[in-house]
Amino acid sequence: MSPGKVLELSAILIADDDLVFLHTLATSLRKKGFIPITADTIGKATALQQKHRPASAVVDLKIGSESGLRLIPLLLNVNPNIDIIVLTGYASIATAVSAIKLGARDYLCKPVDTLQILSALNISKLAADHESCTVIPQNRMPVYQLEWEYLQKVLLEHNGNISAAARSLGMHRRTLQRKLNKRSGSR
């Protein structure tokens, strides 16, 4: 940590391109005494992390057209002790494993509420003050979502190199690009 930078224990970085969710979660955290720091892009999240030094982060799996998993090492580079939770509406075992291997504390499926997030971040001061939340059971994931998650995992394994990922998958580069663009546009 550089001189003059203080770790903000009550600050929580939220990186999500869903602006309604972003503002709803920020409002809920603010009401519970936390300082939400919001970003709707990976670049903004990285800059805010360096400026505010939050102890925790909530990162969406897909931020714009980018994988939120890319943000995990960037956040850990600034603060190796940051607690990171990855949220997704498109859960898969492959991305959960990738998130944890990259350094995330937990991986939660949307819909999720503030108490579930705080519990996953192991912020226990709230757990005693509020009744436990109800977990909404998740339905089975459609095949196209599973495919998209797998494509994201392979792309991440090849550091975002579409040509290398396509070769690994045994498909043409343009086919992979089309599948990635089609899924990102339907969200």
Side-chain angles (χ1 to χ4, degrees):
M1 189 179 313
S2 60
K5 298 262 185 174
V6 177
L7 189 65
E8 182 58 63
L9 295 176
S10 63
I12 299 176
L13 175 68
I14 309 165
D16 198 313
D17 64 339
D18 179 344
L19 297 180
V20 173
F21 177 80
L22 186 71
H23 294 299
T24 302
L25 180 57
T27 300
S28 180
L29 288 171
R30 195 173 295 109
K31 287 179 181 177
K32 295 181 183 333
F34 293 92
I35 302 167
I37 301 164
T38 61
D40 61 354
T41 67
I42 289 178
K44 287 179 189 175
T46 305
L48 289 169
Q49 163 70 0
Q50 292 173 353
K51 180 179 178 183
H52 296 283
R53 307 287 298 176
S56 305
V58 177
V59 177
D60 191 24
L61 179 65
K62 188 167 181 305
I63 302 172
S65 62
E66 297 182 88
S67 170
L69 295 179
R70 241 191 79 225
L71 186 55
I72 295 172
L74 299 173
L75 296 176
L76 289 168
N77 188 41
V78 174
N79 175 10
N81 298 315
I82 190 169
D83 288 326
I84 302 169
I85 301 299
V86 174
L87 301 181
T88 184
Y90 311 105
S92 76
I93 293 172
T95 53
V97 169
S98 293
I100 300 303
K101 281 184 177 180
L102 287 169
R105 173 187 276 274
D106 210 337
Y107 179 91
L108 303 175
C109 300
K110 290 179 180 178
V112 63
D113 65 26
T114 307
L115 293 178
Q116 289 171 294
I117 291 169
L118 293 172
S119 176
L121 286 169
N122 203 22
I123 300 176
S124 58
K125 73 175 190 172
L126 259 3
D129 297 341
H130 296 80
E131 51 190 68
S132 67
C133 53
T134 304
V135 177
I136 300 170
Q138 300 296 310
N139 294 329
R140 289 191 179 148
M141 190 180 326
V143 173
Y144 66 86
Q145 287 179 351
L146 288 170
E147 178 188 42
W148 187 84
E149 290 287 331
Y150 182 70
L151 295 176
Q152 287 295 318
K153 175 188 171 288
V154 172
L155 189 59
L156 183 68
E157 288 172 353
H158 291 89
N159 298 318
N161 184 322
I162 293 207
S163 295
R167 278 191 300 276
S168 173
L169 290 164
M171 66 174 64
H172 195 276
R173 177 186 52 80
R174 285 185 294 206
T175 302
L176 177 57
Q177 283 178 314
R178 188 179 69 251
K179 286 177 178 280
L180 293 170
N181 289 337
K182 181 178 178 183
R183 184 70 196 126
S184 67
S186 67
R187 188 173 158 211

